[in-house]
Amino acid sequence: MKLDVAIAEVRAAETAVAGALDAVGARHEGDHDVFHMTRTLRRLADANLEALAPVAERYGVAGAPDPAPGAPDGAAAPGLELLHDLRRLYLRYAQASIDWVLLGQGAQAAKDAELLDVVSRCHAQTLRGLKWTVTRLKEAAPQALTS
Amino acid sequence: MSVQRVDRIANPWGTRTPVGPGEPWPERVDAYLVEGAEPERWVQTASILHSDGDAYDVGVQDGRIVGVRGRGVDRVNRGRLGPKDVFGWQANASDDRLTEPLLRRDGELRPASWDEAMDAIVARSRALLDERGPGALGFYTSGQLFLEDYYTLAIIARAGIGTNHIDGNTRLCTATAGEALKESFGCDGQPGSYEDVNHADAIALFGHNVAETQPVLWARMLDRLEGPSPPRLLVVDPRRTLPARRADVHLAVRPGTNLAAMNALLREVIANGWIDADYVAAHAVGFEELRETVAPCTPEWAAGICDVDADAIRAAARLVGTAQRLLCTVLQGFYQSHQATAAACQVNNLAIVRGMLGRPGCGVLQMNGQPTAQNTRETGANGDLPGFRNFANDDHVADLARVWNVDPLQIPHYGASTHVMQMVRYLEQGSLPFFWVSATNPLVSLPEAGRIRSVLASGDVFLVVQDLYLTETARVADVVLPAATWMEKTGTFTNADRTVHLSEKAVDPPGQARADLDIWLDYARRMDFRDRDGGPLVHWHDPESAFEAFKACVAHRPCSYEGITYARLREGSGLQWGGERLYADGRFFAAPDECETYGRDLLTGGLLDETEYRALNPDGRAILKAADYVPAPEGPGDEHPLQLNTGRTLFHFHTRTKTGRAPQLQAAAPDVWVELAPVDADRLGLAEGDLAEIASARGRIEARVRVGGVREGVAFVPFHYGWWDDPDRPSRAANELTITAWDPVSKQPLFKAGAVRVTKVADGGGRPAPAPTNTASAPAGGDVPATRGGPDAEVVETLP
């Protein structure tokens, strides 16, 4: 049984999402909707981590790292900077999303209904963050790339 | 028949004509003429200072407007007029109208010819198009121009320039209405009708202070409330508005918590089995998700968040849950608040789960704030493509390109149009150096006024302002174009219940002022915009040909104007597009090939794609969308312990450009005030009339205190007051205080959010606040003289 590995992966990925949200929020206060939405999405990421905690304990996964805001590299023109940072956030979300998929597969195989329930509820929230990030990237790209 | 004179500042809603359920609303024709006037002719029009669409005629004598008279035949008002209808027209003849174009030279705005002004605009447009492309140009229009104006601007921006940067100030008033309808019914389009007031046995007003925003609609409701078998009334509003005083249940929820209250109402309706399960099964999708989302939202849970009594929430749920004919209306209390679209969608959900759609008395009115807001939505001047087309549906875009005879790639459709707050960001960042503002005053009306000033007055933006007066915004423009106004030009506009009215030219505009349509036709000509075959892109030349071009564009679309012509509007009066009610047969414009949007996540605004929509709603049913409540972005804290709520008063419109120039309206509400609950005023050592400072993290203003009917913990400030008529005084604009934040779905700014601190500056010395006493700002007690208009405010009412 290696579900503990999958749980640790998901938790690391969600922690990275939380850190990326903090970083994007801190760097883009002037893009007010982005700033406010990173706060809302951070609540969802925190809720996911909270939901994971009991199953992590049950599978003997050690304590999770603190979400450290990643130091984004490369400053560019204002619009491009937002594209750059949201793209990083997208990748964090994508990582977390596929990790939820894998954990969900494992949970089904292990016939662990409680874990499966956590996965389906949490994965929906990760996908919601992913969807917002794609939407905002698509919104920002035309002006950033043609101005 | 009886005739009487009524002071319509003191009694803005006029004399009652009580009516029972299902009975037609009696005529009551209101008329007002200046002393001694004898009009030579009467010219047809409708309200331009609110969204009700009251129809009336304007009396003309010696080339001047001398009075107004309601149109008794019209379905909307049956002859009645509100105070802004009666008195607002006087602003047209104000001696400070703009009469010639102005061009900034050597730092000063100086008179210029039309050729010089238009050449300057065209030269800048061309240079930017060549050097930086269409994304360098943005257009920000109004909710007060005509359909013909908007449609012409939409084709110029979207196909002529080819920019996605076009929005209306309707973003501030009606964006959530349109978005909520799109999310719930797949497409914009007002489901209900004002006639539903006459049939309903329960009316629920959600954040809708109808007594002040649409006084004639409130008169209709009052006539039901005072007639036999009156409807029950629910009001959700943090202020003790006049409707709240008449309500059976009033939920004075804490600002920013509407969604929590709505989720609890829906939970109770579902838990008590007050749903029409057959209707839901046949006509809706998403019920399970809704049920699961609201299941934990008990009245006790919501009571803690909203700070209202749990039993009051139960009573409210019973009122809407047991009604046989339920009419729900929604306005700014929801639209300009946190989680705006999500909350407005829950009102739609209430109507859907109760099967209260498409029958007499059963309707939803997602109201508009401004008189012609509906037309920005229909013509594509506010962020949507013309004719409720879906930017993400290639067939819709191809169809629009066919109508306009342009390459589909010329029409930006890679995303929703850029909303105004995002345009401000691009202005701030320098990627949008050209900004053309028509008939609106963003320096006073956009949130966080200090930021807007620094962006628009920076000198980095080429700012064109097209207006009637030298507004606060016009003062910082590079080019000012003098525009003709309502009654000086012809066109149509559509009210909140889809009633189309014709407004005819009655008098000439002052000086060289020109109709907005003519200004844009001139721009299109000078820019030489061409279609795919080399013909002129804008091929119409006057209001009626513009109207017919628009009709061709929306033919076969849900908002088809088929059968509505200038001739028919002239012969009769207002005509509804779409018939009395939409969705009478439980059919919606929601099929995947037909819908205006594939939808957004209500919590984040994340867009669904076509595949997801097809899976969700293959048969084009109504969509029950749900969302969890999350706290608002800026709650009260130690430093700023009160919640800010900005809003309007009955006697003014927007930034008072017109109503501040109408003596009776100006006198009724001459200056800004701040409204506090008695308990908060006591705590702060403030009494009626004291001068107070209101400060947020963003700015400060001073205002006199009205101790009134707003709920505890909230400071209400009216947003109408800028500095055009008092330039030496520090700004008193409510938007000095507001937060830059908007709803993630509709992008409507949160004007009813943020935290403030109120402190005493000076004693009032017994002088009351300059706030009306006969509206939501009524004093809580004490000896405050009642608002009166006097002999100059007397209207002749002709009753049956």
Side-chain angles (χ1 to χ4, degrees), chain A residues 108-121:
Chain A
Q108 291 191 60
K111 307 188 193 309
D112 184 338
E114 187 205 347
L115 180 57
L116 197 57
D117 179 56
V118 168
V119 170
S120 70
R121 278 188 291 119

Side-chain angles (χ1 to χ4, degrees), chain B residues 312 350 505 563:
Chain B
L350 187 58
K505 178 175 173 175

Side-chain angles (χ1 to χ4, degrees), chain B residues 440-484:
Chain B
T440 187
N441 191 12
L443 247 63
V444 181
S445 57
L446 288 182
E448 207 178 336
R451 170 174 179 251
I452 304 300
R453 265 197 304 275
S454 75
V455 171
L456 284 182
S458 66
D460 297 338
V461 175
F462 185 80
L463 180 64
V464 180
V465 171
Q466 176 173 325
D467 212 305
L468 313 182
Y469 312 98
L470 199 63
T471 61
E472 290 87 341
T473 308
R475 279 163 213 252
V476 302
D478 295 281
V479 184
V480 178
L481 302 177

Side-chain angles (χ1 to χ4, degrees), chain A residues 31 128 131-132 135-136 143, chain B residues 165 425 431 601 607 612:
Chain A
D31 287 293
R128 165 175 269 154
K131 186 181 286 295
W132 173 79
T135 300
R136 195 62 183 82
Q143 189 76 358
Chain B
H165 305 325
R425 181 62 173 154
S431 70
D601 173 38
L607 275 165
E612 290 169 298

